[in-house]
């Protein structure tokens, strides 16, 4: 895990090298491999760059060299554009020439299968031995738009001029890096740095973010993600960004099962749980957007406004002013889908505006289409931004934005805007000039109602907090250290964690003696039978010893028939515990983001209508209470309509306890589940538990 800032020499070599080599640079301007040199010549690159070409002494009017070893000075960075089988030799030559960073455009590595992955692993191993850092392979390159350094073949840099600005982009997709730069540039958004990490074989997204946190030109960091690799390093960098006050905005593929599969196919990534990814990003302060254009459209909100502290018990409230009733309705409709309320002005505010010469009505949308001059529009806007009954203001501008920006757009630009009250604008028509004016003024302006609502929802969303370490937890002696535990063994672990377990005992099927109070449940105990009910291995509501003996005989006959290969180490007898509510309490070591803890509604209906809350593990007591509040069914034990209250303090303690599996020493838990966990009037009880350990 990355624990300290990266070596400053790496950061300098990455984006501000003194000299670079273009290995495989072509003299044919139509070839991709000629592009980096053409781009840097066109855009006035301030960095010394050397073309390397074995067969040509001159490339695009500049002296070329046969090898990096022939250069007149050491290099800091090399951009490699040769066939995959020649990359390893070039890496060694670059190291000998002093390069600290090598960006590899060449493909044919981890993205093409097992043989390519072996080449990639050999490349990384060699780089580590040489002390060289690799961007890629299969990277479309990077750019520093302030210096004109363009080590990239992406056609977006064919533009006649490049706009530098406060945004920096880290993309796991090369083509999307160019697409996003082009889309943003058309709206007047400028970039400081951009980079495609390609296969991310060595330098990770987290390490690039770490560099950008210290970059004075970068004010907002944008991420286009297909997967998450090296979550600990990414988490460290994101926390540094949060501490420094640099907003991070992400668009990540994989919300659907198909999208996740496509991301895996494209990058060779390990598919993961998107809900866990969502929790990971939120826990580390990242604003994850759903619309592609929102990725850069949200930047002015993130850059110029403080996130409001809105109570968890109410929805965000927006005052909406408009010069187009229908246009406003499209946004308000989308806001409602995100749980944001368009609120009507209170009567005292209406009276206040009447004294200032403007008559408005108590409606959720303040329509000024025919009722106000531009000065009155500006005055109303400023009064709304100073009010305490809304969390922000949304201005929806109609046709005037296209042909008469002085009517409703210039008042927005000229208004006094406090940093503690959000202002956003949706332009109903296609109004390029108005978008440009608003962008220059630092006002978040949106082309579609969907992206407008998306941005506001993301901005208003409460940022989560990072996992909280409460020490370590030792594995109970005598238990297996790999494979699946029986319920009896799992109960020992849960008990040691501090989770109350319903009274139980492990008994001999032929001599079922026990001291557990009746009525009881009887279950088969086997590491090979995870779904005991399906195997006929459960009997409930057993009233006495005679019924218990009969149940034991039936269970053994069932499992012998249904699971003949299963190892049986006894029967588990358990008291029929009382309950007010059934919940699921689970733990999973997610393949992308690491340990997570889940609380959800119990019972068979839970699979039909998921009602869950998820956090990175381990969690604090405060985070556990947040989870309880997010699971709607817990209202049934929190005073809903006078129903009996359950012991939610005990529930919170149980959540914290299970989350401590994340700090287990000596053994790694792959997943664990208590299903159901009974919430009682006084305490909780684990009724059925399962723990699966990682092998090896």
């Amino acid at each position: 895990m990355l624990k300290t800032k990266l070596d400053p020499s790496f950061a300098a070599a990455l984006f501000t090298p003194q000299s670079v080599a273009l290995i495989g640079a072509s003299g044919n301007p139509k070839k991709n491999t000629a592009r980096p040199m053409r781009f840097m010549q066109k855009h006035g690159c301030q960095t010394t760059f050397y073309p390397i070409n074995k067969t040509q002494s001159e490339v695009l009017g500049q002296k070329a060299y046969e090898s990096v070893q022939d250069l007149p000075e050491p290099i800091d960075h090399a951009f490699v554009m040769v066939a995959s089988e020649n990359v390893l030799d070039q890496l060694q030559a670059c190291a000998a020439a002093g390069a600290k960073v090598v960006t590899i455009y060449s493909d044919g590595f981890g993205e093409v299968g097992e043989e390519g992955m072996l080449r990639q692993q050999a490349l990384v191993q060699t780089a580590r031995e040489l002390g060289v850092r690799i961007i890629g392979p299969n990277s479309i390159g990077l750019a520093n738009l302030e210096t004109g350094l363009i080590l990239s073949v992406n056609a977006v840099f064919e533009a006649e001029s490049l706009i530098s600005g406060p945004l920096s982009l880290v993309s796991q997709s090369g083509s999307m890096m160019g697409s996003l730069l082009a889309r943003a540039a058309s709206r007047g958004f400028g970039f400081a740095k951009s980079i495609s990490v390609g296969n991310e074989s060595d330098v990770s997204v987290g390490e690039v973010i770490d560099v950008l946190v210290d970059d004075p030109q970068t004010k907002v960091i944008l991420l286009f993600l297909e997967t998450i690799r090296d979550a600990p390093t990414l988490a460290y960098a994101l926390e540094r960004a949060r501490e420094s006050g640099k907003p991070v905005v992400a668009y990540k593929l994989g919300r659907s099962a198909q999208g996740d599969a496509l991301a895996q196919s494209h990058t060779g990534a390990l598919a993961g749980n998107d809900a866990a990814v969502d929790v990971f990003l939120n826990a580390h302060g990242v604003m994850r957007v759903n619309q592609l254009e929102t990725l850069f459209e949200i930047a002015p909100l993130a850059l110029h406004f403080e996130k409001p502290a809105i109570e968890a018990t109410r929805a965000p409230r927006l005052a909406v002013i408009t010069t187009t009733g229908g246009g406003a309705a499209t946004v308000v409709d989308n806001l409602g889908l995100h749980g944001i309320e368009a609120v009507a002005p209170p009567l005292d505010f209406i009276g206040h505006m009447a004294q200032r010469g403007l008559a408005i009505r108590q409606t959720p949308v303040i329509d000024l289409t025919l009722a106000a001059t531009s000065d009155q529009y500006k005055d109303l806007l400023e009064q709304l931004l100073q009010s305490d009954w809304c969390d922000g203001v949304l201005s929806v501008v109609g046709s005037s934005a296209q042909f008469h920006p002085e009517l409703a757009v210039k008042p927005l630009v000229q208004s006094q805007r406090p940093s503690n009250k959000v202002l956003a604008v949706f332009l109903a028509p296609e109004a390029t000039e108005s978008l440009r004016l608003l962008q220059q003024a630092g006002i978040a302006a949106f082309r579609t109602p969907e992206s407008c609502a998306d941005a506001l929802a993301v901005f208003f969303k409460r940022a989560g907090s990072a996992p909280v370490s409460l020490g370590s937890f030792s594995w109970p002696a005598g238990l297996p250290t790999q494979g699946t535990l029986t319920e009896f063994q799992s109960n020992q672990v849960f008990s040691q964690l501090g989770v109350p377990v319903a009274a139980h005992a492990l008994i001999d099927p032929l001599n079922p003696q026990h001291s557990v109070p009746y009525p009881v449940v009887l279950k088969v105990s086997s590491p090979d039978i995870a779904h005991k009910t399906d195997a006929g291995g459960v009997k409930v509501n057993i009233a006495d010893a005679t019924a218990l003996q009969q149940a034991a005989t039936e269970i053994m006959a069932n499992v012998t028939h249904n699971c003949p290969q299963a190892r049986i180490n006894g029967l588990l007898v358990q008291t029929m515990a009382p309950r007010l509510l059934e919940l699921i309490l689970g733990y999973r070591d997610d393949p992308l983001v690491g340990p997570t803890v889940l609380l959800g509604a119990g019972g068979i209906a839970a699979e039909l209508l998921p009602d869950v809350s998820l956090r990175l593990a381990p969690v604090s007591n405060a985070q556990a209470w947040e989870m309880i509040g997010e699971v709607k069914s817990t209202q049934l034990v929190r005073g809903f309509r006078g129903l009996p209250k359950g012991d939610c303090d005990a529930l919170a303690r149980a959540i914290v306890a299970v989350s401590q599996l994340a700090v287990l020493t000596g053994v790694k838990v792959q997943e664990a589940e208590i299903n159901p966990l009974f919430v009682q009037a006084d305490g909780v009880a684990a009724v059925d538990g399962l723990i699966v350990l990682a092998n090896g």
Side-chain angles (χ1 to χ4, degrees), residues 147-491:
T147 65
L149 175 74
I150 304 173
L151 301 179
S152 177
V153 303
N154 197 295
V156 70
F157 299 109
E158 297 279 9
E160 288 305 311
S161 62
L162 302 176
I163 307 173
S164 63
L167 310 183
S168 283
L169 172 66
V170 186
S171 177
Q172 288 177 326
S173 165
S175 61
M176 285 308 301
M177 180 185 82
S179 298
L180 286 164
L181 290 176
R183 283 174 173 264
S186 70
R187 300 278 299 280
F189 288 91
F191 285 78
K193 314 287 191 300
S194 64
I195 183 171
S196 154
V197 295
N199 291 0
E200 209 174 341
S201 67
D202 178 27
V203 175
S204 67
V205 167
E207 289 176 288
V208 178
I209 293 172
D210 197 51
V211 170
L212 295 175
V213 169
D214 295 323
D215 177 38
Q217 283 74 44
T218 298
K219 307 299 181 185
V220 181
I221 301 170
L222 310 182
L223 308 177
F224 183 92
L225 301 176
E226 296 172 328
T227 187
I228 288 181
R229 300 183 180 94
D230 192 2
T233 299
L234 180 56
Y236 170 84
L238 293 174
E239 287 301 319
R240 284 199 64 229
R242 175 150 60 180
E243 291 166 7
S244 70
K246 278 194 181 175
V248 180
V249 186
Y251 179 93
K252 186 193 173 294
L253 298 177
R255 285 197 179 275
S256 68
Q258 187 175 28
D260 201 17
L262 288 171
Q264 182 183 8
S265 173
H266 183 51
T267 64
L270 179 63
N273 180 348
D274 189 69
V277 169
D278 211 39
V279 166
F280 175 88
L281 293 174
N282 189 56
H284 296 295
V286 178
M287 291 180 278
R288 182 182 183 182
V289 300
N290 297 298
Q291 305 280 332
L292 189 63
E293 282 206 347
T294 314
L295 184 61
F296 54 83
E297 286 183 324
I298 198 176
L301 288 181
L303 188 58
H304 298 298
F305 295 104
E306 303 166 11
K307 264 205 165 195
I310 299 174
E311 301 90 344
T313 55
R314 72 167 177 87
R317 299 183 295 227
L318 279 178
V320 181
I321 57 175
T322 187
T323 60
T324 167
T330 64
V331 186
V332 169
D333 191 29
N334 278 276
L335 290 173
L337 294 175
H338 291 280
I340 299 175
E341 183 182 0
V343 289
L347 292 176
D348 59 348
F349 184 83
I350 292 173
H352 172 72
M353 292 310 302
Q355 292 176 356
R356 302 176 72 87
L358 181 64
I360 60 174
R361 295 184 297 157
Q362 195 174 27
T363 56
V365 174
I366 305 172
D367 194 339
L368 303 181
T369 304
L370 303 173
T373 65
S374 59
D375 287 340
Q376 288 175 315
Y377 192 99
K378 176 174 175 288
D379 183 51
L380 173 61
L381 175 67
E382 291 178 337
Q383 297 304 306
L384 289 170
L385 290 170
Q386 295 172 24
S387 67
D388 60 2
W389 51 271
C390 62
D391 304 304
V393 179
L394 171 63
S395 172
V396 182
V397 185
S399 299
S400 64
Q402 186 174 8
F403 300 110
H404 303 289
E406 70 279 359
L407 297 180
V409 172
K410 286 192 177 178
L412 293 165
V413 172
Q414 295 166 357
S415 64
Q416 297 295 314
R417 302 182 296 277
S419 62
N420 64 345
K421 189 65 66 75
V422 176
L423 172 63
V425 181
F426 166 56
L427 302 183
E430 186 66 34
T432 305
E433 178 60 20
S434 288
L435 283 170
R436 187 186 64 80
L437 288 172
L438 293 166
Q439 162 62 14
Q440 289 177 344
I443 299 175
F446 301 90
R447 293 177 61 250
T448 69
E450 292 81 9
S451 63
C452 181
D454 182 29
L456 288 166
V458 169
F459 186 77
F460 282 130
K461 184 177 181 180
R462 295 169 63 90
S465 52
V468 178
S469 179
L470 303 176
S472 61
F473 163 65
S474 298
W475 191 245
L479 292 184
T481 57
Q482 62 181 24
T484 301
L485 302 190
T486 66
E487 183 180 348
F488 182 71
Q489 294 167 334
S490 299
N491 284 344

Side-chain angles (χ1 to χ4, degrees), residues 491-659:
N491 284 344
Q492 294 178 57
V493 178
F494 292 131
S495 293
Q496 185 153 323
L497 283 166
V499 180
V501 177
H504 64 283
L506 188 65
I507 60 174
D508 184 340
L510 301 178
N511 184 26
Q513 302 299 313
H514 66 89
S515 59
V516 178
Y518 287 98
V520 297
V521 178
L522 192 63
K523 316 174 195 178
V524 66
S525 180
S526 168
D528 303 319
I529 303 176
H531 302 288
K532 295 184 284 290
T533 301
D534 294 344
V538 179
K539 296 290 182 180
V540 301
N541 288 317
I542 300 172
D544 53 36
T546 302
L548 182 71
Q549 182 64 72
Q550 178 64 31
T553 301
E554 292 178 5
I555 285 176
M556 293 304 297
N558 290 340
V559 297
T560 299
H561 177 266
N562 295 324
C563 307
Q565 304 301 319
R567 294 166 290 169
I568 310 299
N569 54 18
L571 296 176
L572 186 73
V573 59
Q574 184 180 66
T575 189
M576 295 281 290
R579 67 187 183 277
L580 297 176
L581 181 67
E582 290 186 27
L583 294 172
I584 297 171
L585 179 55
Y587 169 92
R588 180 173 184 251
D589 191 359
D590 185 84
L592 296 187
V593 305
T596 59
V597 61
L598 174 144
L599 180 70
I604 58 174
E607 296 182 19
L608 300 176
L609 296 170
D611 177 18
V612 300
S613 177
L614 191 68
R615 289 292 187 279
L616 299 184
V619 300
S620 66
N621 191 66
Q623 290 171 316
W625 270 100
E626 289 175 0
M627 296 176 70
I628 293 170
E630 290 170 7
V631 176
K632 295 181 179 63
S633 62
T634 64
Q635 295 180 53
L636 298 173
V637 290
R638 290 191 285 129
F640 181 73
R641 295 193 176 183
L643 290 173
K645 288 189 177 182
D647 192 343
C648 288
D649 286 321
L651 175 58
R653 291 193 297 271
I655 297 168
V656 172
V658 169
S659 79

Side-chain angles (χ1 to χ4, degrees), residues 37-108:
M37 189 166 175
R38 283 201 301 105
F39 295 158
M40 288 192 285
Q41 289 174 335
K42 180 176 185 176
H43 296 295
C45 179
Q46 302 166 27
T47 304
T48 302
F49 55 90
Y50 298 102
I52 308 298
N53 188 303
K54 286 185 176 182
T55 61
Q56 295 177 297
S57 60
E58 183 181 285
V59 170
L60 300 179
Q62 186 169 323
K63 180 180 178 180
Y65 297 83
E66 186 174 343
S67 167
V68 290
Q69 296 166 328
D70 300 328
L71 296 178
E73 63 172 331
I75 58 171
D76 302 313
H77 195 141
F79 189 56
V80 177
M81 302 172 285
V82 298
S84 59
E85 59 267 23
N86 299 324
V87 171
L88 187 59
D89 290 342
Q90 292 297 337
L91 179 65
Q92 294 168 330
C94 290
K100 297 179 180 65
V101 177
V102 176
T103 298
I104 302 173
Y105 167 59
S106 315
D107 59 5

